[in-house]
Amino acid sequence: TIILISDMAMANTCRGLFLQENYMNQVFKSEIQAFYDGISSRNRESLLKFLDFSASEDFDSNIATHGAVKTVEEYWESQQHWYDGETGYFTAEVVEAEVDGDYGKTVAMVEYSNIGDDGKMFLWKIRIEMDFRRKSGQWYLVRNFNYVLDRG
């Protein structure tokens, strides 16, 4: 009987940890979805909130429209064409989100349409993988890789 109670206590503890982890992942996913929704509406503040300009650690990004970007400042500058523009649209759905302590990873499926340098409209389907680091309760982007799946 003692072993049974012990096994039951262990099962309840594991279940509690699983529910807590699942809750943390859902909260993180909601925060990052709001981040993407802000980008869609060209709200600069939604991006700025996730950028740590004082960070000393490496920043790593490969953006579909700009290629390799190695600093937060370069990343910020590379995004200004979107915020200054009046054409095109950007929609994103976070399809995966995982938190491990102060690190978070997401995968989003994106549709991005705009007018290219050649004056023609384009529509890209992009998979965006982002890694975040939490400092003082705030998530900051540290890695962003874009994979264009379809250049329609």
Side-chain angles (χ1 to χ4, degrees):
T1 305
I2 292 172
I3 293 173
L4 221 111
I5 292 171
S6 183
D7 287 347
M8 187 176 291
M10 178 66 95
N12 283 337
T13 300
C14 289
R15 183 174 183 276
L17 290 173
F18 171 77
L19 291 174
Q20 182 180 9
E21 181 179 309
N22 191 40
Y23 174 75
M24 295 285 287
N25 289 342
Q26 287 302 316
V27 168
F28 176 61
K29 182 178 181 180
S30 294
E31 243 186 287
I32 303 308
Q33 185 62 58
F35 160 78
Y36 277 114
D37 293 346
I39 293 170
S40 294
S41 64
R42 289 186 165 91
N43 178 344
R44 281 184 167 93
E45 291 303 313
S46 66
L47 177 58
L48 277 171
K49 176 182 172 186
F50 288 88
L51 298 179
D52 184 2
F53 290 94
S54 68
S56 58
E57 60 265 2
D58 292 334
F59 183 86
D60 195 13
S61 183
N62 189 344
I63 305 168
T65 55
H66 288 84
V69 173
K70 295 297 181 185
T71 69
V72 173
E73 291 80 7
E74 285 179 40
Y75 180 77
W76 173 246
E77 287 303 316
S78 74
Q79 301 304 298
Q80 295 313 300
H81 73 285
W82 171 252
Y83 292 101
D84 292 338
E86 295 179 7
T87 61
Y89 70 88
F90 175 99
T91 60
E93 178 185 0
V94 178
V95 295
E96 293 177 34
E98 183 178 338
V99 174
D100 184 7
D102 287 333
Y103 295 92
K105 299 179 110 164
T106 62
V107 174
M109 301 307 291
V110 171
E111 276 194 10
Y112 171 57
S113 178
N114 215 332
I115 297 173
D117 293 337
D118 61 1
K120 296 180 182 173
M121 191 69 137
F122 65 84
L123 171 64
W124 290 354
K125 295 189 186 224
I126 307 168
R127 175 186 168 103
I128 298 180
E129 297 176 5
M130 290 187 169
D131 294 351
F132 297 83
R133 180 171 294 133
R134 185 170 35 203
K135 288 175 24 178
S136 302
Q138 172 60 44
W139 290 105
Y140 292 104
L141 181 63
V142 294
R143 181 181 168 276
N144 170 21
F145 276 76
N146 295 201
Y147 304 93
V148 178
L149 305 175
D150 183 12
R151 293 182 188 264

